[in-house]
Amino acid sequence: MGTRKLIIDGTEIEAEETITLLQACEQAGAEIPRFCFHERLSVAGNCRMCLVEWVGAPKPQASCALQVKDIFPNKDGTPAKINTKSPYARKAREGVMEFLLINHPLDCPICDQGGECDLQDQAMGYGRAAFHRFNENKRAVEDKYMGPLVETVMTRCIACTRCVRFATEVAGVPDLGATGRGEDVEITTYLEKAFSSELSGNVVDLCPVGALTSKPYAFNARPWELKKTESVDVMDAQGCNIRVDSRGTQVMRVLPRLNEEVNEEWIGDKTRHACDGLARQRLDRPYVRVNGKLKPASWAEAFAAIAAKVKATQPDRIAAIVGDLAAAEEIKALKDLMTALRVKNLDCRQDGAKVGLTADGQKAPRQTYLFNSTIAGVEAADAILLVGANPRWDAPVLNARIRKAWLAGGLQVANIGPAVDLTYPVDELGTDISVLAKIADGSHPFAKVLTEAKRPMIVLGAGATTRKDGAAILNLAAKIAADTGMIGPAGTHADGGWNGFNILHTAASRVAALDLGFLPLNGGRDVGAIVDGAQKGEIDFLYLLGADDFDVAHLGRAFVVYQGSHGDAGAHHADVILPGAAYTEKDGLYTNFEGRVQRGRRAVFPPGEAKEDWAILRALSDVLGHKLPYDDRAQLLMALEKDVTHFAELNAAPVHADTAPATWGGIGAAGALDSAPVTHPMTDFYLTNPIARASATMAQCSREFVTGAGKMAAE
């Protein structure tokens, strides 16, 4: 890659030829205003705000649309001179700003973008101090309907086309476009349809003016009123980095944080807009069921009811299940408590996934249940086999990363499972799981594609791991991985090592719980056997830690304790309810599907008498006579890190020292494949957990995109 010398504002620099002049100027320390340019989108060059002076050129140059290689040296061989602060460049920008403001309405006092508006900021920094010279009427544009999440005031639009480029390039949904020319140009969804993407909310962040704003957040708050807390998303297992903006006791909105390795700067619509569910259907005090009806109780009464039942129950008739939103701290506390009570019936896989255990019932090696390629590693892959996975719903931001790899060229994707629109071309191999066996024995054409690929990947979703034959599918996938060169020690691949065996989890708590061994080890019952045992009267006591998404309605006469934040399915069938904290109301560690440990921080306090979940378990252990050995979170973290050492390493994707094929023989269990077609267990992207199900916005999205007339292609 060549370089070229430039003199920018009197300073000589050497810049790569492939970057834009705008980026070269910023490397030299100059500040270049822009509206249409964005590092993750193609160059449009249509706002002209980034004009600079190229000494000797006949007119100002749009620095975003020029590459460094286009800037040739002067005739005497000296480097070209670029001025970003000269009167010539400043006058050009003032003219552009004046043109932009000709038609822009005076909406700032009532505009939701006020206080974080690029147009406001740049008008102050680069606009003319005098009044503009145009006295004609401003143009007006009719507002467009873009669905329940994006509010439009199109008169404010400056036609930067960021939203159009995002929809087409990143989201892969060509729903947005421009009609008309010149002053008549309008951004539209053509047929007044909703913007049907799970990433649609990101256009609000991209819009440099107030043309696109958040519909659920409209007129609720100003940015300077909000407390901003850095945290981690729990709506799926990707662990997108987020910022929680709160005012008083209420979470007002959720925005993305930049993390190149995890989510770049995007988040899904469920992450962004399910936050209104945090205030609805909340459990804010303990309840005890008396004569068939739940009655409010004190903490002491609730603990006494639990203690009486535990005392009268044998350990083999007690069970515990961890839900999808739990942090590592409460999983550790619950496991320690159950271990003290000699309980073996533990499970964190409420969907019944056959991961985390070896064929002989022991805890499996960590890389057998992780997304080993890592999220950023997807961009290096050249062949992907999806088995029972729908990444567009399971992890929308990961799906955008796969699309990015496809756009870069050379990526082949095949799918075993129902055909869905994943926003990139997919070779559909049908819903018969026997295709996987054919790929494993080399008789299927895609086996050759995987073998010849430099960095092949296999991705097992919930549609594969939760089946009856999930263990056999896992075993076959590991065989394919070993035989096609997906896994191998450092040096076997062009980039010095590759691991293409991936499990795509959808539960934020799953990997941390598997790491901690919250599993039916040594002959314990899994979720299916616990439910079966409860129906048959073999399980008398069941502790649910935020677990709602399994067959809660068929627990027979078992005594159910539900600890969680929302009055969802688990609470409806509980005998004792202990109100816990939601993810925005506690500090907690979450491990994403690639094995990266990240910290979520408390933005607000839990409502009413609700407490942090680990603290509830610590208090309960005292009443049960098995006091847990930690009195504060610092001591709990020390115990956690002693139990599983990688909890001490935050924000780092795991590096597996040994990925040799020989270590992969014990994954899953050899067995016959079931004849049932492969399905996708997630039937509604917007209603997957208690917080989302309590959200009015998510209910509206579900009606619009999944169950209603505007059904999305990825259903």
Side-chain angles (χ1 to χ4, degrees):
M1 194 181 294
T3 60
R4 185 163 292 190
K5 288 183 179 176
L6 299 172
I7 297 174
I8 298 176
D9 292 338
T11 305
E12 185 173 306
I13 69 155
E14 198 164 326
E16 292 175 6
E17 288 189 332
T18 54
I19 67 172
T20 64
L21 177 58
L22 184 150
Q23 290 166 312
C25 289
E26 293 197 325
Q27 285 179 11
E31 185 179 295
I32 307 292
R34 85 291 300 266
F35 291 116
C36 68
F37 179 78
H38 192 278
E39 286 81 356
R40 299 185 201 282
L41 304 175
S42 61
V43 173
N46 56 8
C47 78
R48 321 309 282 182
M49 195 63 212
C50 63
L51 293 176
V52 296
E53 178 186 9
W54 177 1
V55 177
K59 59 182 180 180
Q61 302 294 312
S63 58
C64 72
L66 270 181
Q67 286 187 303
V68 170
K69 66 184 178 187
D70 300 324
I71 312 294
F72 46 82
N74 297 324
K75 288 180 180 177
D76 60 0
T78 57
K81 289 184 178 178
I82 306 293
N83 293 328
T84 70
K85 300 171 185 171
S86 66
Y88 184 75
R90 193 160 57 243
K91 185 182 178 188
R93 288 179 193 154
E94 286 176 357
V96 169
M97 179 58 74
E98 192 173 1
F99 269 118
L100 286 174
L101 295 177
I102 289 169
N103 284 314
H104 200 76
L106 300 173
D107 270 357
C108 299
I110 55 129
C111 177
D112 260 345
Q113 201 85 347
E116 47 192 7
C117 173
D118 291 351
L119 188 63
Q120 273 184 337
D121 297 342
Q122 292 181 39
M124 290 294 291
Y126 303 98
R128 285 167 57 90
F131 290 106
H132 69 70
R133 294 161 288 176
F134 291 82
N135 298 313
E136 291 80 5
N137 292 331
K138 292 178 181 288
R139 77 164 190 163
V141 181
E142 194 176 327
D143 294 344
K144 307 295 186 292
Y145 177 72
M146 289 193 186
L149 301 179
V150 181
E151 180 68 69
T152 64
V153 184
M154 300 313 290
T155 300
R156 300 173 188 158
C157 178
I158 60 168
C160 70
T161 69
R162 277 188 183 181
C163 56
V164 176
R165 284 174 285 148
F166 172 83
T168 307
E169 296 163 16
V170 180
V173 179
D175 282 356
L176 298 185
T179 60
R181 293 173 65 81
E183 195 181 38
D184 296 325
V185 73
E186 292 186 26
I187 305 297
T188 176
T189 54
Y190 303 118
L191 302 174
E192 290 290 308
K193 69 188 284 291
F195 180 13
S196 56
S197 169
E198 300 79 6
L199 299 169
S200 66
N202 292 293
V203 298
V204 173
D205 295 337
L206 287 171
C207 185
V209 295
L212 304 178
T213 54
S214 170
K215 195 173 276 187
Y217 175 70
F219 309 125
N220 277 342
R222 286 298 196 185
W224 54 84
E225 301 175 319
L226 303 175
K227 186 182 87 173
K228 299 162 181 65
T229 309
E230 296 187 348
S231 192
V232 179
D233 172 47
V234 299
M235 293 293 138
D236 58 35
Q238 185 162 347
C240 293
N241 288 208
I242 59 172
R243 192 185 88 194
V244 179
D245 286 3
S246 57
R247 184 177 61 190
T249 60
Q250 190 177 356
V251 172
M252 303 302 292
R253 63 177 180 178
V254 172
L255 297 176
R257 270 191 303 133
L258 180 69
N259 187 323
E260 294 290 353
E261 294 182 334
V262 180
N263 59 306
E264 296 179 301
E265 58 188 85
W266 318 125
I267 53 173
D269 288 344
K270 187 165 45 174
T271 302
R272 186 186 296 270
H273 290 296
C275 58
D276 63 326
L278 290 164
R280 294 186 172 93
Q281 299 285 328
R282 287 307 301 267
L283 301 172
D284 59 359
R285 60 183 304 169
Y287 288 86
V288 175
R289 194 175 292 276
V290 180
N291 298 326
K293 287 190 177 181
L294 285 168
K295 300 279 178 70
S298 66
W299 281 101
E301 289 167 347
F303 285 166
I306 296 170
K309 187 65 180 177
V310 169
K311 194 174 180 183
T313 309
Q314 294 296 317
D316 62 341
R317 299 176 78 87
I318 297 175
I321 301 172
V322 164
D324 291 349
L325 306 182
E329 288 87 340
E330 53 257 31
I331 299 170
K332 164 75 174 160
L334 182 57
K335 180 162 189 279
D336 287 352
L337 178 57
M338 290 297 153
T339 302
L341 294 170
R342 306 197 314 281
V343 175
K344 294 179 182 177
N345 305 318
L346 311 175
D347 207 349
C348 62
R349 307 161 303 174
Q350 58 173 343
D351 55 4
K354 311 293 189 292
V355 296
L357 291 173
T358 59
D360 57 356
Q362 298 304 307
K363 186 177 179 300
R366 195 170 189 231
Q367 54 261 48
T368 67
Y369 55 79
L370 292 184
F371 197 93
N372 293 293
S373 301
T374 71
I375 297 163
V378 166
E379 292 184 38
D382 46 4
I384 300 177
L385 175 62
L386 303 172
V387 187
N390 174 10
R392 185 166 170 184
W393 275 11
D394 297 344
V397 181
L398 175 74
N399 195 59
R401 188 82 77 144
I402 298 174
R403 176 175 166 79
K404 184 179 177 184
W406 169 72
L407 280 172
L411 176 65
Q412 284 184 269
V413 184
N415 174 43
I416 299 175
V420 292
D421 176 12
L422 293 177
T423 73
Y424 41 84
V426 177
D427 186 5
E428 298 292 351
L429 307 183
T431 59
D432 190 346
I433 197 63
S434 65
V435 173
L436 193 67
K438 290 176 184 172
I439 294 174
D441 63 27
S443 62
H444 193 279
F446 201 74
K448 188 172 181 235
V449 174
L450 291 174
T451 306
E452 291 177 354
K454 288 181 181 175
R455 286 175 288 275
M457 277 172 57
I458 187 167
V459 179
L460 298 182
T465 58
T466 60
R467 288 165 55 99
K468 289 179 187 173
D469 56 356
I473 292 173
L474 215 58
N475 188 265
L476 265 182
K479 181 180 184 301
I480 292 169
D483 293 349
T484 58
M486 278 185 201
I487 45 181
T492 58
H493 288 278
D495 59 351
W498 177 255
N499 188 335
F501 180 86
N502 300 306
I503 306 293
L504 181 55
H505 297 286
T506 54
S509 65
R510 186 68 50 84
V511 173
L514 292 171
D515 287 345
L516 288 163
F518 203 96
L519 291 159
L521 303 170
N522 307 316
R525 293 173 181 256
D526 63 12
V527 164
I530 289 170
V531 173
D532 189 50
Q535 283 179 305
K536 291 177 179 174
E538 295 164 5
I539 295 290
D540 295 333
F541 182 95
L542 181 57
Y543 201 105
L544 304 181
L545 182 58
D548 301 271
D549 295 284
F550 70 103
D551 195 3
V552 186
H554 295 94
L555 295 176
R557 306 180 92 174
F559 186 90
V560 177
V561 176
Y562 180 82
Q563 177 181 333
S565 59
H566 283 71
D568 209 71
H572 283 296
H573 295 87
D575 294 285
V576 176
I577 293 175
L578 305 177
Y583 75 103
T584 54
E585 298 159 3
K586 61 189 174 189
D587 290 327
L589 296 179
Y590 299 91
T591 309
N592 74 349
F593 54 56
E594 60 179 350
R596 183 190 304 267
V597 181
Q598 301 182 107
R599 176 181 286 127
R601 297 189 183 276
R602 182 175 64 204
V604 294
F605 286 91
E609 295 178 45
K611 302 278 188 286
E612 290 193 28
D613 292 279
W614 77 264
I616 295 172
L617 289 157
R618 163 66 182 77
L620 177 61
S621 69
D622 216 352
V623 177
L624 294 178
H626 295 277
K627 186 176 174 181
L628 293 173
Y630 25 81
D631 296 328
D632 56 35
R633 189 166 176 272
Q635 293 177 355
L636 172 55
L637 285 177
M638 285 174 64
L640 193 62
E641 291 164 14
K642 186 179 176 186
D643 198 5
V644 181
T645 54
H646 63 251
F647 275 112
E649 300 169 29
L650 292 180
N651 306 317
V655 178
H656 304 300
D658 178 21
T659 54
T663 64
W664 292 76
I667 298 181
L673 294 176
D674 197 64
S675 59
V678 179
T679 60
H680 293 145
M682 190 185 294
T683 55
D684 192 330
F685 167 74
Y686 297 97
L687 305 175
T688 53
N689 61 58
I691 297 172
R693 286 190 287 269
S695 163
T697 307
M698 291 298 98
Q700 200 175 346
C701 288
S702 176
R703 286 193 298 273
E704 177 87 46
F705 297 123
V706 182
T707 59
K711 278 204 285 189
M712 203 180 287
E715 73 203 62

